[in-house]
Every structure is written in structure tokens, then in C-alpha cells.
Amino acid sequence: MKEFLWGGATASYQCEGGFREGNRVQSNWDKYLHEKNLENGDVASDHYHRYEEDIRMMKEGGQNSYRFSIAWPRIILNHSGEVNEIGVNFYNRLIDTCLSYGIVPMVTLFHWDLPQYLEDEGGWLNRETCEAYTHFAKVCFERFGDRVKLWTTFNEPRYYTFSGYLIGNYPPGHQNLQETVTASYYMMLASAMAVRVYREGYNDGQIGIVHSFSPVYGVDMTVKSQIAKRYAENFYNNWILDVAAMGQIPGDLLDKLAESCDLSLMLPADLELMQKYTVDFLGLNYYARVVIKPYETGETTLIVNNKGSQEKGSSQTIIKDWFEQVRPVDSRYTEWDTEIFPEGLYEGICRCWKKYHLPIYITENGIGLYEDGGAEQIDDKERIEFMNQHINAVLNAMEDGCDVRGYYAWSPFDLYSWKNGTDKRYGLVAVDYENGLTRRPKKSYEWYKEVIKTEGKSIRRKQY
Ligand code: BGP
């Protein structure tokens, strides 16, 4: 068996900074956050300049893999698909640095930063973006595929499209079900198109997709709840995982969507392509489960807490005629309303393995906390406890026969959290934003090093 991958995950926009450097073109996030005058990733953790230090710290922390994304706006300059050699060289250096430290790169092609010139033409609502994406993917395979053997097409297409087109708190900031369906569909089509390019020309590695995985729990075992649970499974998980892994959009999801949406964009040739070009593995980002009950009353309501303790408890999800999300009162929550429920990771891995039988990587897992970035050493007991419980869940699932091949902490160092800013910290290494962006390992960094060294044996175990 191959070595288990232990690492951390980042996204280009959230950590690189250098937003005007190296011929990088404007991204959808630059425009959206600048126009709204919100905290942005112009500088972020300055990984663009400090990647060597960051990767060295990963190595010194015992990690053997790094999951990062390639910024499309650094690589493709315009509609004609012109390649930016300065951007290519940046990622060449980053990848070579990983390899020189014995760190396996896992590369995400799209982690939400779209060139604004494509957003201007409708972005993911425009079929032509699928072609542009395929070109971008091909350039990446060509230029980096000799050294990168683990690829993922998209990071969390569901979370991205729901936030951008249904909730409206991410660019382009719309609230429209039809657009949500269109964008999700084109992203899944583009994913299959990239898999095809990979299979046809560069097939000496593996290609997967990363999903924001929320295993669904029903409030009870009534038939009504089980029906609502099925709707919620389709809503949260199946329309990404079923398509990526099995090449099928669930029929009952299509039925339900057809009641209020125009599905004529779904062409037979697309569906054939999706059926044929499924992924080699699944990347699951796990933060929390969802508990649901049957829909009772009210309009569709989606409220996400991007303000942490200022708005604790404000999150709400009602999908009219589908289901409502419940917030179990006796559970634990972060300041941003994310439930802390490690058993959900165990349960989710088992369900996924049973249903899809594809290798699984936990591509993100972590907890956002308020911390003092200037402290000598942050004693992040809560993060250590959180990671202990979640790695325990992964080990339990592996012992029960699930094929899990890696675990990535979100994140190896502090970075910009979408819409939440830099106050919401996830890193194993603190970044002092007020003071020259100095890096200082937190206690969790040392703790994780020990976990990796002992191959998980230092984890305090609890069987479910
Ligand atoms: C995932 C994203 C990451 C990261 C993480 C934490 O959905 O893939 O990019 O941001 O969640 O979320 P947040 O920053 O909103 O707390």
C-alpha cells in the first residue's frame, strides 16, 4: 500500500496575495470584494513570496503532502487562451520546492478564483466557460503533469454555486435557483471534460473532485423525514458525488428541479460525456453534518453566519417544499455556527465508500477560531481536540475497511477566510498580519507532527 498522505490544504486566492504581480489578471473575487470594500486577499498570507518558508515548515512539521490550487488568473491571460509564462514559472517553483522537500503535491484546478474576463461574459452561466476551463486544465496538465500526479478538477462546486447564485454571499452575488442549477451543471460538465483531457493525454496519475461533504441525518425515522432526507442528500451531496463518481444526475433530483427550472441546457451529448468520464477518487472536505426535518412553512431562506460571534446562532436553511435544517440544541458549535460532530465524518466516509467504492482523501478538515496572531505561541487546545476527534473518526473508518488515503488539515498556516476575513483562523502556523506576516507554529503544529510520526498511534482513540 502507498504511504498515507498527511498534509494541509490551501487555496490560491486565500493565501497567495501578490494580486497584481506576475501579470496576474483580475479575478471575480478581486472585483467583488474591492467593489464592496470588504476585507480581501490582495496580500493574504503572502504565500506568493513566502511559499518556500511555508513548505519548509510543512516538511519540518512532518507533513508529506500539500494540497494547493492553481490560480487560473495567473495562468491564462485572456479569451484567446494566451498562457502567462510568469504564472507558470511561479507554480513550477512551488511544485519543485514541494518535491525537493519530499512533499507530494495534490493540485486543485479551480478553487473559486475565476478570471474576471470570463465572469464578465456570464462566468459559470455561460457554456463557453467549460471550454475555457478545459483549455486551462490542459495547459496545467502539460506544464505540471510531469511532476504532479494527483489532480482535482474542482473544489466544492456545490458550495461555490450555492453561495454565488442562491445565497448570494459570494461573487457574483445572485439569488436565483435557475442560475444555481445552470452554474452547477456547467461546472460538473467542465469537470468531466477535464477528466477526458487527462485520460486522453496524461494518464499517469489520478484525477478526482473535491466536495463539501455534509452527511445528512434525518430528525427521526418517519417516512416524511426520510423523503426530506433524500431531497437533502440530493441537494447537498448527490448532484456532485453521483455525477462525478457514477456519471449520473439522480433522476428524482431532475424531477424535482424540472418543477421550477428549465433543464433544456442538459444536452444528451453532455450526459454521455459525464457518464463516461468519471473520477478516480473522491476528495471530501468535512466540516459538519446536516440534520434535517420535513419542510413545514416559509419561503426558501439561506442565512450563513459570516460574522462569527457577532451573529452566533443566526444561520438558517429552509428549502421550500424540500426540507428544513434543524440545529440540535444539545450539540457543540463554533462561533460561526458550524456544528462540531466528528461522528459525522466516520459515518460519511463509510456511506461514501459503500456507495461509490472509490478511494477517499479527506481534503479539508479544521476549525475556525479567534486567536491572537501576535502571541509568542498560540495554545490552540480546541483545534488539537477537534483534530484528534476527527482523525480518530478517519482511523475508525479505515479500520472498518474504508479506503482512505490521506488527511489534509485546513489549513497549514493562517489565511484569508472567504467573507469572514483573517479574524477566522484555521492555521497550524500563525501568521501575524499586523507584524510583517511573521510565521509562528501553534501548539497544534507540534501535535500534528507527533500524530504523523506515530502514524496516528498518538491519537486518543474512541470507537463508535
Ligand atoms: C471550504 C473551502 C475553503 C475554506 C474552508 C473554510 O468550504 O474549500 O476554501 O475556506 O471551507 O471555510 P470558511 O473560510 O468559510 O470558514
Side-chain angles (χ1 to χ4, degrees), residues 18-64:
F19 82 117
R20 281 209 180 106
E21 286 182 62
N23 281 353
R24 176 184 178 276
V25 297
Q26 192 186 38
S27 77
N28 55 338
W29 281 92
D30 298 321
K31 177 149 192 260
Y32 174 88
L33 294 172
H34 287 164
E35 273 181 10
K36 295 197 174 309
N37 214 5
L38 291 170
E39 190 178 340
N40 56 52
D42 289 0
V43 178
S45 327
D46 198 27
H47 189 58
Y48 187 69
H49 298 108
R50 293 171 189 248
Y51 65 91
E52 199 279 337
E53 181 185 0
D54 291 330
I55 297 169
R56 180 164 31 87
M57 288 181 92
M58 292 172 200
K59 176 67 187 173
E60 288 167 1
Q63 299 166 36
N64 62 2

Side-chain angles (χ1 to χ4, degrees), residues 422-443:
T422 45
D423 269 0
K424 188 178 187 183
R425 291 174 184 264
Y426 280 93
L428 304 177
V429 170
V431 173
D432 188 351
Y433 298 107
E434 310 297 318
N435 232 320
L437 297 147
T438 311
R439 272 65 169 151
R440 288 188 203 93
K442 302 180 192 175
K443 283 258 171 77

Side-chain angles (χ1 to χ4, degrees), residues 11 14 111-112 155-156 159 170 212 285 287 306 364 410 416-418 420 424 426:
Q14 295 182 270
H111 199 133
W112 305 354
N155 177 72
E156 301 192 352
Y159 203 86
Y170 284 7
S212 43
N285 292 352
Y287 291 91
N306 288 131
E364 282 179 34
W410 183 271
Y416 166 81
S417 161
W418 315 103
N420 309 302
K424 188 178 187 183
Y426 280 93

